[in-house]
Amino acid sequence: MDTADATGPNSSPLSSPSPLSPLSPPSPLPSTPADPLATAPDPTFADVLAARDLLTEHLPRTPMWSYPALDAVAGATLFVKHENVQPVGAFKVRGGLTLLAGMTPAQRARGVVTYSTGNHAQSLAYACAAFDTACTVVMPAAANPAKVRAVRALGATVELHGADVGAAQEWAERTASREGRHLVSPGDTPALVAGVGTAYLEILEARPDLDALVVPVGSGTGAAAAALVAAELAPSCRVIAVQSAAAPAAHDSWRAGECVRRANLTTADGLATGRGFELPQRLMRAGLADFHLVSDPQIAAARRLLASHAHTLAEGAGAAALAAVLARPGEFAGLRVAVVCSGGNASPAEIASLGEA
């Protein structure tokens, strides 16, 4: 990232937080118990290439299409990367499979515990089923029922606990310690970042001429991986992150230059982590060109547009990248832009809302 660019995380013109969440001095975040899965070195481009080799026998490439009707609305040439067609309906399965494939038999025998609002949970449950590894997932009590059912159907044990993912994290930490299992952080586990980086290999190998790559952010593993890969394959491509203004923890952490907590008021549960994560924040600070916020109504409008103009069912997080492009027509006009449809696990309410004006 050009340090002279006013869009950097420590630049004074843009260092203020979202209006929905005043940036106060951050309260200390609880430390996650040390685990060998989380204490590996930061991922490198070589790790992403190795992850691709690991994943070849498990996952095919996902499609990336351009839709003229969508381009006409956006005023740009858009390439939609369809991670919504993954076997768990979201990009995170790349990370889960990479993590499990790289564990030793002894590590797998211990089993894993994680915490999630849904897509990371399904990713890890799917990977654990593939590698015959015990998996417990702690989800907030009000988690999307469809995602809870999906995680259980994949064979994982689901424990519903707490009002948000922060409370779920604390319960997961206690469970992992009590049962002697590996604790898998959805954000601070290097193998997860390397795995999801394979999506950006596919994007940038297919379209090295992209002007911008827009990535939705919850924990930030996707945007961190995108920045890592773009630095090697397409250094002139601007990697732009996007999060809901109603849950801006990752955005505000990037602006502040340190991890902070924020309330989760968004209906897009894939964007609602409530805190910044050190590993992806470190990588995003090194490689993001900018970080935008969009409103939940803007995300909902983008979901309807994906359905009507791109034949695509997206959950809220999966439509956030398109929402960011539509919200800033002057910034993206005439450019070649990849937008990542990160997931298609729409809730019943999200599906019903597609018919609303």
Side-chain angles (χ1 to χ4, degrees):
M1 180 170 58
D2 185 355
T3 55
D5 187 348
T7 62
N10 297 310
S11 305
S12 56
L14 291 177
S15 60
S16 60
S18 68
L20 295 179
S21 183
L23 183 60
S24 57
S27 58
L29 295 174
S31 59
T32 300
D35 188 286
L37 302 183
T39 55
D42 285 4
T44 65
F45 183 68
D47 294 322
V48 179
L49 294 176
R52 176 166 62 182
D53 292 340
L54 288 173
L55 292 176
T56 52
E57 64 181 280
H58 298 285
L59 298 173
R61 286 174 171 253
T62 56
M64 183 168 69
W65 299 108
S66 184
Y67 301 93
L70 194 60
D71 293 350
V73 175
T77 301
L78 302 184
F79 300 91
V80 181
K81 180 61 169 173
H82 285 285
E83 290 296 290
N84 56 303
V85 302
Q86 291 285 9
V88 299
F91 78 106
K92 287 181 179 288
V93 70
R94 296 173 181 266
L97 284 168
T98 300
L99 175 67
L100 268 292
M103 291 170 66
T104 66
Q107 288 174 324
R108 293 188 200 119
R110 283 179 56 184
V112 301
V113 177
T114 194
Y115 49 96
S116 171
T117 56
N119 284 340
H120 167 70
Q122 291 184 74
S123 162
L124 204 61
Y126 182 92
C128 284
F131 286 92
D132 194 24
T133 301
C135 178
T136 296
V137 179
V138 184
M139 303 175 74
N144 180 337
K147 292 184 178 181
V148 174
R149 286 194 299 273
V151 173
R152 287 179 170 148
L154 289 165
T157 298
V158 176
E159 297 184 8
L160 299 177
H161 183 86
D164 55 27
V165 74
Q169 174 188 344
E170 293 175 8
W171 188 255
E173 290 172 353
R174 294 192 189 102
T175 301
S177 177
R178 182 178 66 250
E179 298 181 2
R181 296 192 182 194
H182 290 291
L183 178 70
V184 179
S185 165
D188 287 327
T189 303
L192 299 182
V193 178
V196 301
T198 59
Y200 304 100
L201 281 178
E202 294 173 15
I203 291 171
L204 292 170
E205 286 177 346
R207 299 296 316 194
D209 59 342
L210 286 175
D211 297 302
L213 171 54
V214 187
V215 186
V217 170
S219 66
T221 57
L228 184 66
V229 173
E232 292 287 336
L233 297 185
S236 63
C237 175
R238 300 178 72 235
V239 179
I240 299 168
V242 58
Q243 191 169 43
S244 171
H251 168 274
D252 288 0
S253 294
W254 187 77
R255 295 289 184 202
E258 58 186 343
C259 289
V260 301
R261 289 184 176 278
R262 291 293 179 262
N264 285 327
L265 303 177
T266 180
T267 57
D269 54 13
L271 306 178
T273 54
R275 52 164 288 198
F277 287 85
E278 292 290 348
L279 172 59
Q281 284 291 327
R282 197 156 57 240
L283 296 173
M284 288 192 293
R285 283 194 291 272
L288 283 191
D290 208 347
F291 203 142
H292 294 323
L293 292 173
V294 290
S295 69
D296 276 15
Q298 287 172 322
I299 291 172
R303 287 185 59 253
R304 290 192 290 271
L305 198 62
L306 281 169
S308 62
H309 287 53
H311 329 294
T312 299
L313 176 63
E315 62 185 278
L322 176 60
V325 173
L326 297 175
R328 295 165 179 80
E331 179 176 345
F332 297 103
L335 301 183
R336 297 176 298 273
V337 183
V339 293
V340 180
C341 181
S342 57
N345 293 312
S347 68
E350 286 179 316
I351 293 172
S353 70
L354 289 174
E356 297 175 1

